[in-house]
Amino acid sequence: MELNGKKILILVETFYNEFEFWYPYYRLKEAGADVTVVGSGSAETYHSKSGLPAKVDTTADAVSVEDFDGVVIPGGYAPDHMRRYPAMVNLVKGFDSAGKLVAAICHAGWMLVSADIVRGRKVTSYFSIKDDLVNAGGEWVDEEVVVDGRLVTSRTPDDLPAFMRTMIKLLKTED
């Protein structure tokens, strides 16, 4: 189990992309990581764009960056809801400030923009939010996975295998 002892947060909010949430959730568990699902506090269960429920373990204001090795932000329209909650935005900013893994896919770039961690960094996302990332000071590229320090970004569910391989590799090498 390549990630034994690693603790990872996955953020969730309403209208999350079920592939971008559940694929990382189970892949990280399969690798031995302890995965905690974190919501904004607006609900105990959130539903994906297609209605699939995801129950939270805790809320953003109840966790500390120091207790975890990284955070995963799935896309869909959830990031637009997440960024309305300062505790969720502050978590992302805190992980980045601490030099810990921040992994964002698809529309999750919206959270990176709200956390103000894009400026001067190479990133990717779903093409429709390219302008948001560029206007926030990011260097946007059209690649399946982009790594800039401990920031990992990907474009769509099709990129999930590369996204997860990269994330797991970074988590394994951080000790």
Side-chain angles (χ1 to χ4, degrees):
M1 302 276 253
E2 57 214 316
L3 296 182
N4 276 346
K6 299 292 182 182
K7 295 172 69 177
I8 308 297
L9 296 181
I10 296 185
L11 304 184
V12 70
E13 242 294 347
T14 191
F15 298 125
Y16 70 89
N17 179 290
E18 54 275 357
F19 301 107
E20 296 165 359
F21 175 85
W22 290 109
Y23 187 118
Y25 177 86
Y26 284 117
R27 181 61 189 96
L28 289 165
K29 286 179 102 40
E30 177 186 42
D34 179 13
V35 180
T36 301
V37 179
V38 176
S40 65
S42 64
E44 291 181 13
T45 301
Y46 296 97
H47 293 88
S48 71
K49 294 187 319 180
S50 66
L52 192 64
K55 185 170 176 17
V56 300
D57 298 312
T58 190
T59 60
D61 59 357
V63 295
S64 174
V65 169
E66 293 77 28
D67 296 331
F68 295 88
D69 299 293
V71 62
V72 178
I73 313 162
Y77 297 113
D80 189 37
H81 292 270
M82 289 175 195
R83 65 186 181 164
R84 300 172 194 186
Y85 296 90
M88 292 194 94
V89 173
N90 289 335
L91 264 180
V92 173
K93 189 177 197 101
F95 274 98
D96 186 65
S97 294
K100 295 184 177 188
L101 175 78
V102 175
I105 187 166
C106 200
H107 286 77
W110 279 332
M111 279 291 283
L112 306 180
V113 169
S114 292
D116 193 24
I117 64 170
V118 174
R119 192 171 327 285
R121 298 174 91 174
K122 188 175 175 182
V123 293
T124 196
S125 67
Y126 190 65
F127 74 93
S128 70
I129 68 164
K130 171 186 176 183
D131 291 347
D132 301 303
L133 292 164
V134 169
N135 290 331
E139 177 193 341
W140 191 91
V141 295
D142 186 12
E143 297 174 11
E144 70 178 351
V145 66
V146 174
V147 178
D148 189 311
R150 308 288 300 163
L151 177 63
V152 178
T153 54
S154 281
R155 303 169 301 191
T156 70
D158 288 343
D159 299 332
L160 280 163
F163 183 63
M164 292 310 302
R165 278 192 305 274
T166 303
M167 190 186 319
I168 289 170
K169 181 181 177 185
L170 282 173
L171 285 165
K172 282 174 32 178
T173 60
E174 73 179 10
D175 292 328

